[in-house]
Amino acid sequence: MDSAIIIETVRSVVASSTPLVFAGIGELLTERSGITNLSLDGSILLAAMAGFAMAYVSGSLLLGFALAMLVGALIALVVAASSIYLYQDQVAVGLVLTLLMADVSSFVGLRYVRLPGPSVPSLSIPGLSALPWVGTALFSQNLLVYLSYLLVLGVWIWLYRTQPGLRLRSIGERPEAAFARGIPVNRMRMVYTGIGGALVGLAGASYSLCVKLGWSHNHTAGMGWIALAIVIFGGWHPFRVALGAYLFGALKSLGSLMQPVYPSVPTQVFQAAPFALMIVALLLVAGDAAAIERRLPARLAPLVRAVFQHGTPAGLGRRFEQG
Amino acid sequence: MNTRSAWTRLALGVAPFALTLATTAAILMAMGENPLEAYANLIGGGFESWAKVADVAISMVPLMLASAGMLITFAAGLWNIGVEGQMVAGALLTTWVVQAIEAPSAVMLPLTILAGLAGGALWGVLIGLLRTYGRVNEIFAGLGLNYVGFALTNYLIFGPWKPPGGATMSGTEPFPRSAWMPLIGSTRASWLALLLAVVAILIVYVILRDTRWGLTLKAIGLNATAAYRMGVDTRRHVIFALMACGALAGLGGSLQTTAIYHRLIPQITGGNGYLAQLVVLLSGLRAQWVPLVVLYFSAVQVGSPRLELRMLLDSSLGGVLQGAVVLFFLLVNGFRQRVGLRDR
């Protein structure tokens, strides 16, 4: 394989993983605040449909993305509100919404199936795209990809280098302590769930308006679950979540590259592979980091910790009763 | 507001359905359709003739079995999203038995039932092992394996089990008559399948209400750590719960092949594994309400294809009517709790 093909492959992996980066980072913000939004699979579907339909009807990509983000935010807020104000189980509401929104997207979206629609244009960044190797792969992309770079970096800075980010981590880890310090825990959870949901909506529209153009029945089915798994795999850390998304994209495109090379392997293996991979990835990160560390040479310890360390927010999924 | 008066309780019980009809009517009107016409088509499609009633009855069977199984895992506090895969496993093992063995009905039918139970149980154990020893959340383990199950089905239908005339999306060759569940008269409903579903829900009702195992599962569901400290082998019981659920769901999948399609088709579960999740939530996790909820779900399911034929709408309106009721049920419940707390 010559370098041009490799660069082109990396470029397409980065582009096709971008919706997963958006969804993963969105869910990361939500879960860091202590809410689990399990509606991702349905949210992404409905947002993809709504974003495409709006862009198709209005001719404006911006309106399409705006509507998709609104849809994602509203669904997420239903999950948060029904937990915080109505005492309902987050998992139950999330699962019901996943199933319901998938059907709503099929029902409302019937008229928009397989129509040619607008798409996000590509735009090379002058200067950066001329860099050797990474230039073409990373900076000769579309606007969404650049937005995702900024988002990952921005969320990292927000979480680990700012006051409000510290407060966000505190409401997910120790809601009682955070509340005692005067942080309105439940209101913040609503805000971050809404923002996270909007990013999930952005992921949906990124599929229908950029990565997997158009709309069809169950257009993005399964991707929401992959995004949820990537958040766990990434240990709730923005860089590792982004890395997980790219890794997943890379393995998936490796699969489609292998398919013609090994025609004797049934195509179904490649269809199921992403989900089998999801389980294997979760098995890996669920491993007992301390036990693995003990069995390996000491100089590998930092590596083991980097891969297996778990950052589950301690207050995740737990309601917080505010005085 | 007094949440305990009979009228308030009736109103709160009806509210989820009223809200569902109102929201779907609003969506339909926004799309320029007549909601009353859509509802009339749905109801007519499910009940206009005895043949349709029989269709509703038989389509209740797999959903009832999957829901009965899920009551067990719900009692243990598990989110068993992998019921689809358990149904698939039951259907696959059943198909394998039917293809491998030639026998009269009296031998064949019990074997297919056993195959369904065993296939689903094995799949359930696999999820249980991933959950307990692999520490992978059962939602992800189950969901991932669902996709694996469907890929396996497609592989078998388009590979080793393809009909002599060539593989198609319509599935394997039809089963021999000896592997058909006995039908009621000239309808498509099978009395044996219906009987199995009724027995299953009764057994689960008794297990959860009257047995030590039912109590143990509830203890795990309420507080697994406390149950463990009290000497309950939580790992073993979690695996058992998933195995028992898998067996019932697997029987549901098996009956999809022997009582409904009389062959293996690619989407053999018909989504019943996911619907069972909704059924159990809407029944408030109580076995005695499951048959009524299943009746509603199956009637909508059988009635909705007519929306495509008569109104050129997508039949997923049926799914919207099923899911929305459950969502509003949860929200109304929350509202009731909130008001109830304020009253005190």
Side-chain angles (χ1 to χ4, degrees), chain B residues 266-306:
Chain B
Q267 295 291 322
I268 190 66
T269 66
N272 280 302
Y274 292 126
L275 290 181
Q277 188 88 46
L278 299 177
V279 167
V280 174
L281 284 172
L282 187 54
S283 69
L285 317 190
R286 279 173 302 183
Q288 59 270 40
W289 285 99
V290 163
L292 197 64
V293 177
V294 168
L295 174 64
Y296 167 71
F297 272 62
S298 294
V300 168
Q301 203 78 348
V302 172
S304 55
R306 176 178 293 206

mmCIF file of all heavy atoms in Angstrom, chain B residues 266-306:
data_model
loop_
_atom_site.group_PDB
_atom_site.id
_atom_site.type_symbol
_atom_site.label_atom_id
_atom_site.label_comp_id
_atom_site.label_asym_id
_atom_site.label_seq_id
_atom_site.Cartn_x
_atom_site.Cartn_y
_atom_site.Cartn_z
ATOM 1 N N PRO B 266 -35.511 -13.975 8.236
ATOM 2 C CA PRO B 266 -34.435 -13.136 8.784
ATOM 3 C C PRO B 266 -34.845 -12.379 10.063
ATOM 4 O O PRO B 266 -34.111 -12.397 11.039
ATOM 5 C CB PRO B 266 -34.127 -12.177 7.642
ATOM 6 C CG PRO B 266 -34.485 -12.928 6.406
ATOM 7 C CD PRO B 266 -35.681 -13.761 6.783
ATOM 8 N N GLN B 267 -35.984 -11.699 10.060
ATOM 9 C CA GLN B 267 -36.393 -10.948 11.253
ATOM 10 C C GLN B 267 -37.355 -11.811 12.070
ATOM 11 O O GLN B 267 -38.516 -11.461 12.275
ATOM 12 C CB GLN B 267 -37.063 -9.633 10.850
ATOM 13 C CG GLN B 267 -36.130 -8.666 10.151
ATOM 14 C CD GLN B 267 -35.075 -8.113 11.080
ATOM 15 O OE1 GLN B 267 -35.341 -7.831 12.242
ATOM 16 N NE2 GLN B 267 -33.840 -7.978 10.585
ATOM 17 N N ILE B 268 -36.859 -12.932 12.563
ATOM 18 C CA ILE B 268 -37.738 -13.942 13.152
ATOM 19 C C ILE B 268 -38.412 -13.456 14.437
ATOM 20 O O ILE B 268 -39.507 -13.906 14.774
ATOM 21 C CB ILE B 268 -36.954 -15.264 13.386
ATOM 22 C CG1 ILE B 268 -37.920 -16.388 13.755
ATOM 23 C CG2 ILE B 268 -35.880 -15.119 14.442
ATOM 24 C CD1 ILE B 268 -38.871 -16.782 12.667
ATOM 25 N N THR B 269 -37.799 -12.520 15.174
ATOM 26 C CA THR B 269 -38.395 -12.101 16.443
ATOM 27 C C THR B 269 -39.569 -11.146 16.249
ATOM 28 O O THR B 269 -40.387 -10.980 17.140
ATOM 29 C CB THR B 269 -37.371 -11.357 17.315
ATOM 30 O OG1 THR B 269 -37.044 -10.145 16.652
ATOM 31 C CG2 THR B 269 -36.133 -12.172 17.537
ATOM 32 N N GLY B 270 -39.634 -10.504 15.092
ATOM 33 C CA GLY B 270 -40.676 -9.502 14.878
ATOM 34 C C GLY B 270 -40.603 -8.359 15.879
ATOM 35 O O GLY B 270 -41.592 -7.686 16.134
ATOM 36 N N GLY B 271 -39.432 -8.145 16.456
ATOM 37 C CA GLY B 271 -39.277 -7.049 17.415
ATOM 38 C C GLY B 271 -39.902 -7.326 18.768
ATOM 39 O O GLY B 271 -39.922 -6.454 19.638
ATOM 40 N N ASN B 272 -40.408 -8.544 18.977
ATOM 41 C CA ASN B 272 -41.111 -8.839 20.223
ATOM 42 C C ASN B 272 -40.227 -8.703 21.463
ATOM 43 O O ASN B 272 -40.719 -8.399 22.549
ATOM 44 C CB ASN B 272 -41.714 -10.248 20.175
ATOM 45 C CG ASN B 272 -43.007 -10.269 19.410
ATOM 46 O OD1 ASN B 272 -43.954 -9.570 19.746
ATOM 47 N ND2 ASN B 272 -43.052 -11.051 18.335
ATOM 48 N N GLY B 273 -38.928 -8.936 21.304
ATOM 49 C CA GLY B 273 -38.036 -8.813 22.451
ATOM 50 C C GLY B 273 -37.976 -7.388 22.967
ATOM 51 O O GLY B 273 -37.926 -7.153 24.179
ATOM 52 N N TYR B 274 -37.952 -6.423 22.050
ATOM 53 C CA TYR B 274 -37.952 -5.025 22.476
ATOM 54 C C TYR B 274 -39.330 -4.631 22.998
ATOM 55 O O TYR B 274 -39.450 -3.901 23.983
ATOM 56 C CB TYR B 274 -37.538 -4.111 21.324
ATOM 57 C CG TYR B 274 -36.096 -4.280 20.916
ATOM 58 C CD1 TYR B 274 -35.747 -4.554 19.596
ATOM 59 C CD2 TYR B 274 -35.079 -4.173 21.853
ATOM 60 C CE1 TYR B 274 -34.421 -4.721 19.217
ATOM 61 C CE2 TYR B 274 -33.758 -4.334 21.488
ATOM 62 C CZ TYR B 274 -33.427 -4.600 20.163
ATOM 63 O OH TYR B 274 -32.123 -4.763 19.804
ATOM 64 N N LEU B 275 -40.385 -5.121 22.325
ATOM 65 C CA LEU B 275 -41.740 -4.779 22.769
ATOM 66 C C LEU B 275 -41.992 -5.293 24.186
ATOM 67 O O LEU B 275 -42.685 -4.647 24.977
ATOM 68 C CB LEU B 275 -42.780 -5.361 21.815
ATOM 69 C CG LEU B 275 -42.859 -4.716 20.428
ATOM 70 C CD1 LEU B 275 -43.938 -5.374 19.594
ATOM 71 C CD2 LEU B 275 -43.115 -3.224 20.542
ATOM 72 N N ALA B 276 -41.421 -6.470 24.509
ATOM 73 C CA ALA B 276 -41.641 -7.048 25.834
ATOM 74 C C ALA B 276 -41.168 -6.092 26.925
ATOM 75 O O ALA B 276 -41.779 -5.993 27.997
ATOM 76 C CB ALA B 276 -40.916 -8.386 25.953
ATOM 77 N N GLN B 277 -40.083 -5.378 26.644
ATOM 78 C CA GLN B 277 -39.588 -4.364 27.574
ATOM 79 C C GLN B 277 -40.694 -3.351 27.883
ATOM 80 O O GLN B 277 -40.962 -3.024 29.040
ATOM 81 C CB GLN B 277 -38.417 -3.641 26.888
ATOM 82 C CG GLN B 277 -37.665 -2.695 27.758
ATOM 83 C CD GLN B 277 -36.557 -3.408 28.481
ATOM 84 O OE1 GLN B 277 -35.825 -4.175 27.879
ATOM 85 N NE2 GLN B 277 -36.446 -3.165 29.759
ATOM 86 N N LEU B 278 -41.349 -2.891 26.820
ATOM 87 C CA LEU B 278 -42.429 -1.916 26.983
ATOM 88 C C LEU B 278 -43.618 -2.541 27.711
ATOM 89 O O LEU B 278 -44.230 -1.916 28.578
ATOM 90 C CB LEU B 278 -42.876 -1.388 25.612
ATOM 91 C CG LEU B 278 -41.817 -0.654 24.799
ATOM 92 C CD1 LEU B 278 -42.357 -0.252 23.435
ATOM 93 C CD2 LEU B 278 -41.350 0.587 25.540
ATOM 94 N N VAL B 279 -43.947 -3.785 27.350
ATOM 95 C CA VAL B 279 -45.084 -4.473 27.974
ATOM 96 C C VAL B 279 -44.893 -4.542 29.486
ATOM 97 O O VAL B 279 -45.792 -4.199 30.259
ATOM 98 C CB VAL B 279 -45.248 -5.894 27.392
ATOM 99 C CG1 VAL B 279 -46.202 -6.719 28.255
ATOM 100 C CG2 VAL B 279 -45.751 -5.836 25.964
ATOM 101 N N VAL B 280 -43.699 -4.978 29.895
ATOM 102 C CA VAL B 280 -43.474 -5.183 31.325
ATOM 103 C C VAL B 280 -43.481 -3.851 32.076
ATOM 104 O O VAL B 280 -44.022 -3.745 33.172
ATOM 105 C CB VAL B 280 -42.163 -5.962 31.551
ATOM 106 C CG1 VAL B 280 -41.842 -6.064 33.023
ATOM 107 C CG2 VAL B 280 -42.287 -7.355 30.963
ATOM 108 N N LEU B 281 -42.921 -2.812 31.456
ATOM 109 C CA LEU B 281 -42.962 -1.500 32.106
ATOM 110 C C LEU B 281 -44.402 -1.015 32.252
ATOM 111 O O LEU B 281 -44.808 -0.495 33.287
ATOM 112 C CB LEU B 281 -42.138 -0.478 31.307
ATOM 113 C CG LEU B 281 -40.626 -0.580 31.433
ATOM 114 C CD1 LEU B 281 -39.944 0.351 30.443
ATOM 115 C CD2 LEU B 281 -40.179 -0.241 32.844
ATOM 116 N N LEU B 282 -45.205 -1.192 31.190
ATOM 117 C CA LEU B 282 -46.590 -0.706 31.218
ATOM 118 C C LEU B 282 -47.431 -1.522 32.188
ATOM 119 O O LEU B 282 -48.417 -1.026 32.734
ATOM 120 C CB LEU B 282 -47.184 -0.750 29.799
ATOM 121 C CG LEU B 282 -48.573 -0.130 29.604
ATOM 122 C CD1 LEU B 282 -48.604 1.308 30.099
ATOM 123 C CD2 LEU B 282 -48.974 -0.165 28.142
ATOM 124 N N SER B 283 -47.059 -2.777 32.414
ATOM 125 C CA SER B 283 -47.818 -3.587 33.357
ATOM 126 C C SER B 283 -47.372 -3.308 34.792
ATOM 127 O O SER B 283 -47.840 -3.970 35.715
ATOM 128 C CB SER B 283 -47.653 -5.079 33.040
ATOM 129 O OG SER B 283 -46.338 -5.467 33.317
ATOM 130 N N GLY B 284 -46.484 -2.356 34.976
ATOM 131 C CA GLY B 284 -46.015 -2.038 36.311
ATOM 132 C C GLY B 284 -45.271 -3.193 36.955
ATOM 133 O O GLY B 284 -45.302 -3.348 38.172
ATOM 134 N N LEU B 285 -44.609 -4.015 36.151
ATOM 135 C CA LEU B 285 -43.841 -5.193 36.577
ATOM 136 C C LEU B 285 -44.726 -6.244 37.262
ATOM 137 O O LEU B 285 -44.249 -7.058 38.040
ATOM 138 C CB LEU B 285 -42.679 -4.835 37.513
ATOM 139 C CG LEU B 285 -41.803 -3.628 37.204
ATOM 140 C CD1 LEU B 285 -40.584 -3.618 38.115
ATOM 141 C CD2 LEU B 285 -41.365 -3.609 35.754
ATOM 142 N N ARG B 286 -46.032 -6.225 36.996
ATOM 143 C CA ARG B 286 -46.925 -7.197 37.635
ATOM 144 C C ARG B 286 -47.491 -8.159 36.596
ATOM 145 O O ARG B 286 -48.079 -7.740 35.588
ATOM 146 C CB ARG B 286 -48.046 -6.470 38.363
ATOM 147 C CG ARG B 286 -47.587 -5.950 39.735
ATOM 148 C CD ARG B 286 -48.628 -5.092 40.376
ATOM 149 N NE ARG B 286 -48.956 -3.960 39.493
ATOM 150 C CZ ARG B 286 -49.818 -3.000 39.826
ATOM 151 N NH1 ARG B 286 -50.447 -3.048 40.972
ATOM 152 N NH2 ARG B 286 -50.059 -2.011 38.995
ATOM 153 N N ALA B 287 -47.310 -9.454 36.864
ATOM 154 C CA ALA B 287 -47.680 -10.493 35.894
ATOM 155 C C ALA B 287 -49.166 -10.437 35.542
ATOM 156 O O ALA B 287 -49.551 -10.671 34.394
ATOM 157 C CB ALA B 287 -47.317 -11.871 36.443
ATOM 158 N N GLN B 288 -50.016 -10.118 36.526
ATOM 159 C CA GLN B 288 -51.453 -10.174 36.251
ATOM 160 C C GLN B 288 -51.911 -9.151 35.211
ATOM 161 O O GLN B 288 -52.956 -9.315 34.594
ATOM 162 C CB GLN B 288 -52.268 -10.029 37.549
ATOM 163 C CG GLN B 288 -52.050 -8.753 38.340
ATOM 164 C CD GLN B 288 -50.935 -8.898 39.366
ATOM 165 O OE1 GLN B 288 -49.899 -9.514 39.090
ATOM 166 N NE2 GLN B 288 -51.113 -8.335 40.557
ATOM 167 N N TRP B 289 -51.142 -8.080 35.004
ATOM 168 C CA TRP B 289 -51.519 -7.082 34.004
ATOM 169 C C TRP B 289 -50.931 -7.390 32.622
ATOM 170 O O TRP B 289 -51.321 -6.766 31.632
ATOM 171 C CB TRP B 289 -51.058 -5.693 34.452
ATOM 172 C CG TRP B 289 -51.917 -5.154 35.547
ATOM 173 C CD1 TRP B 289 -51.647 -5.176 36.882
ATOM 174 C CD2 TRP B 289 -53.206 -4.547 35.403
ATOM 175 N NE1 TRP B 289 -52.688 -4.622 37.567
ATOM 176 C CE2 TRP B 289 -53.662 -4.219 36.704
ATOM 177 C CE3 TRP B 289 -54.019 -4.241 34.306
ATOM 178 C CZ2 TRP B 289 -54.883 -3.611 36.942
ATOM 179 C CZ3 TRP B 289 -55.243 -3.630 34.540
ATOM 180 C CH2 TRP B 289 -55.668 -3.327 35.844
ATOM 181 N N VAL B 290 -49.976 -8.318 32.566
ATOM 182 C CA VAL B 290 -49.272 -8.560 31.306
ATOM 183 C C VAL B 290 -50.213 -9.000 30.171
ATOM 184 O O VAL B 290 -50.138 -8.459 29.064
ATOM 185 C CB VAL B 290 -48.107 -9.558 31.510
ATOM 186 C CG1 VAL B 290 -47.624 -10.142 30.194
ATOM 187 C CG2 VAL B 290 -46.956 -8.865 32.231
ATOM 188 N N PRO B 291 -51.152 -9.959 30.401
ATOM 189 C CA PRO B 291 -51.989 -10.390 29.277
ATOM 190 C C PRO B 291 -52.781 -9.249 28.631
ATOM 191 O O PRO B 291 -52.868 -9.161 27.398
ATOM 192 C CB PRO B 291 -52.932 -11.410 29.931
ATOM 193 C CG PRO B 291 -52.179 -11.928 31.096
ATOM 194 C CD PRO B 291 -51.378 -10.777 31.609
ATOM 195 N N LEU B 292 -53.320 -8.347 29.466
ATOM 196 C CA LEU B 292 -54.105 -7.240 28.931
ATOM 197 C C LEU B 292 -53.229 -6.301 28.090
ATOM 198 O O LEU B 292 -53.610 -5.876 26.993
ATOM 199 C CB LEU B 292 -54.733 -6.479 30.105
ATOM 200 C CG LEU B 292 -55.901 -5.562 29.748
ATOM 201 C CD1 LEU B 292 -57.057 -6.377 29.212
ATOM 202 C CD2 LEU B 292 -56.329 -4.751 30.974
ATOM 203 N N VAL B 293 -52.038 -6.001 28.611
ATOM 204 C CA VAL B 293 -51.121 -5.121 27.872
ATOM 205 C C VAL B 293 -50.691 -5.787 26.568
ATOM 206 O O VAL B 293 -50.634 -5.145 25.518
ATOM 207 C CB VAL B 293 -49.887 -4.786 28.749
ATOM 208 C CG1 VAL B 293 -48.894 -3.949 27.969
ATOM 209 C CG2 VAL B 293 -50.316 -4.057 30.012
ATOM 210 N N VAL B 294 -50.423 -7.092 26.636
ATOM 211 C CA VAL B 294 -50.015 -7.810 25.426
ATOM 212 C C VAL B 294 -51.132 -7.771 24.386
ATOM 213 O O VAL B 294 -50.886 -7.617 23.191
ATOM 214 C CB VAL B 294 -49.625 -9.272 25.772
ATOM 215 C CG1 VAL B 294 -49.478 -10.108 24.516
ATOM 216 C CG2 VAL B 294 -48.333 -9.299 26.568
ATOM 217 N N LEU B 295 -52.392 -7.877 24.854
ATOM 218 C CA LEU B 295 -53.529 -7.803 23.928
ATOM 219 C C LEU B 295 -53.521 -6.468 23.178
ATOM 220 O O LEU B 295 -53.670 -6.426 21.957
ATOM 221 C CB LEU B 295 -54.841 -7.982 24.707
ATOM 222 C CG LEU B 295 -56.121 -7.788 23.890
ATOM 223 C CD1 LEU B 295 -56.230 -8.850 22.804
ATOM 224 C CD2 LEU B 295 -57.354 -7.821 24.790
ATOM 225 N N TYR B 296 -53.315 -5.369 23.912
ATOM 226 C CA TYR B 296 -53.268 -4.048 23.281
ATOM 227 C C TYR B 296 -52.136 -3.995 22.249
ATOM 228 O O TYR B 296 -52.337 -3.586 21.095
ATOM 229 C CB TYR B 296 -53.081 -2.973 24.353
ATOM 230 C CG TYR B 296 -52.701 -1.616 23.807
ATOM 231 C CD1 TYR B 296 -53.618 -0.838 23.114
ATOM 232 C CD2 TYR B 296 -51.415 -1.099 23.978
ATOM 233 C CE1 TYR B 296 -53.278 0.407 22.613
ATOM 234 C CE2 TYR B 296 -51.056 0.138 23.485
ATOM 235 C CZ TYR B 296 -51.986 0.887 22.799
ATOM 236 O OH TYR B 296 -51.623 2.106 22.300
ATOM 237 N N PHE B 297 -50.939 -4.456 22.665
ATOM 238 C CA PHE B 297 -49.786 -4.392 21.762
ATOM 239 C C PHE B 297 -50.017 -5.228 20.500
ATOM 240 O O PHE B 297 -49.700 -4.800 19.393
ATOM 241 C CB PHE B 297 -48.521 -4.881 22.489
ATOM 242 C CG PHE B 297 -47.809 -3.793 23.234
ATOM 243 C CD1 PHE B 297 -48.426 -3.125 24.268
ATOM 244 C CD2 PHE B 297 -46.514 -3.438 22.891
ATOM 245 C CE1 PHE B 297 -47.783 -2.115 24.950
ATOM 246 C CE2 PHE B 297 -45.859 -2.420 23.568
ATOM 247 C CZ PHE B 297 -46.486 -1.771 24.604
ATOM 248 N N SER B 298 -50.566 -6.436 20.690
ATOM 249 C CA SER B 298 -50.740 -7.319 19.534
ATOM 250 C C SER B 298 -51.831 -6.810 18.605
ATOM 251 O O SER B 298 -51.723 -6.927 17.380
ATOM 252 C CB SER B 298 -51.062 -8.735 19.998
ATOM 253 O OG SER B 298 -49.948 -9.266 20.675
ATOM 254 N N ALA B 299 -52.897 -6.236 19.183
ATOM 255 C CA ALA B 299 -53.960 -5.690 18.342
ATOM 256 C C ALA B 299 -53.411 -4.572 17.462
ATOM 257 O O ALA B 299 -53.682 -4.510 16.255
ATOM 258 C CB ALA B 299 -55.106 -5.179 19.216
ATOM 259 N N VAL B 300 -52.605 -3.693 18.081
ATOM 260 C CA VAL B 300 -51.995 -2.603 17.308
ATOM 261 C C VAL B 300 -51.074 -3.166 16.227
ATOM 262 O O VAL B 300 -51.069 -2.721 15.079
ATOM 263 C CB VAL B 300 -51.211 -1.660 18.261
ATOM 264 C CG1 VAL B 300 -50.331 -0.707 17.469
ATOM 265 C CG2 VAL B 300 -52.175 -0.896 19.148
ATOM 266 N N GLN B 301 -50.320 -4.218 16.612
ATOM 267 C CA GLN B 301 -49.355 -4.816 15.687
ATOM 268 C C GLN B 301 -50.041 -5.410 14.460
ATOM 269 O O GLN B 301 -49.603 -5.223 13.336
ATOM 270 C CB GLN B 301 -48.593 -5.932 16.437
ATOM 271 C CG GLN B 301 -47.258 -6.268 15.864
ATOM 272 C CD GLN B 301 -46.224 -5.242 16.261
ATOM 273 O OE1 GLN B 301 -46.550 -4.173 16.785
ATOM 274 N NE2 GLN B 301 -44.976 -5.532 15.991
ATOM 275 N N VAL B 302 -51.141 -6.150 14.702
ATOM 276 C CA VAL B 302 -51.846 -6.795 13.599
ATOM 277 C C VAL B 302 -52.613 -5.766 12.783
ATOM 278 O O VAL B 302 -52.744 -5.896 11.561
ATOM 279 C CB VAL B 302 -52.796 -7.896 14.143
ATOM 280 C CG1 VAL B 302 -53.675 -8.449 13.038
ATOM 281 C CG2 VAL B 302 -51.989 -9.014 14.777
ATOM 282 N N GLY B 303 -53.105 -4.722 13.459
ATOM 283 C CA GLY B 303 -53.922 -3.734 12.751
ATOM 284 C C GLY B 303 -53.122 -2.762 11.906
ATOM 285 O O GLY B 303 -53.613 -2.248 10.894
ATOM 286 N N SER B 304 -51.847 -2.515 12.276
ATOM 287 C CA SER B 304 -51.148 -1.385 11.647
ATOM 288 C C SER B 304 -50.733 -1.574 10.182
ATOM 289 O O SER B 304 -50.636 -0.567 9.479
ATOM 290 C CB SER B 304 -49.949 -0.961 12.502
ATOM 291 O OG SER B 304 -49.094 -2.029 12.744
ATOM 292 N N PRO B 305 -50.492 -2.797 9.692
ATOM 293 C CA PRO B 305 -50.132 -2.877 8.263
ATOM 294 C C PRO B 305 -51.189 -2.271 7.341
ATOM 295 O O PRO B 305 -50.889 -1.834 6.235
ATOM 296 C CB PRO B 305 -50.002 -4.387 8.018
ATOM 297 C CG PRO B 305 -49.671 -4.952 9.341
ATOM 298 C CD PRO B 305 -50.399 -4.107 10.342
ATOM 299 N N ARG B 306 -52.444 -2.249 7.827
ATOM 300 C CA ARG B 306 -53.494 -1.693 6.982
ATOM 301 C C ARG B 306 -53.296 -0.193 6.722
ATOM 302 O O ARG B 306 -53.766 0.340 5.717
ATOM 303 C CB ARG B 306 -54.849 -1.926 7.659
ATOM 304 C CG ARG B 306 -55.967 -1.287 6.890
ATOM 305 C CD ARG B 306 -57.256 -1.562 7.522
ATOM 306 N NE ARG B 306 -57.577 -2.970 7.417
ATOM 307 C CZ ARG B 306 -58.816 -3.416 7.438
ATOM 308 N NH1 ARG B 306 -59.806 -2.589 7.548
ATOM 309 N NH2 ARG B 306 -59.058 -4.692 7.349
#
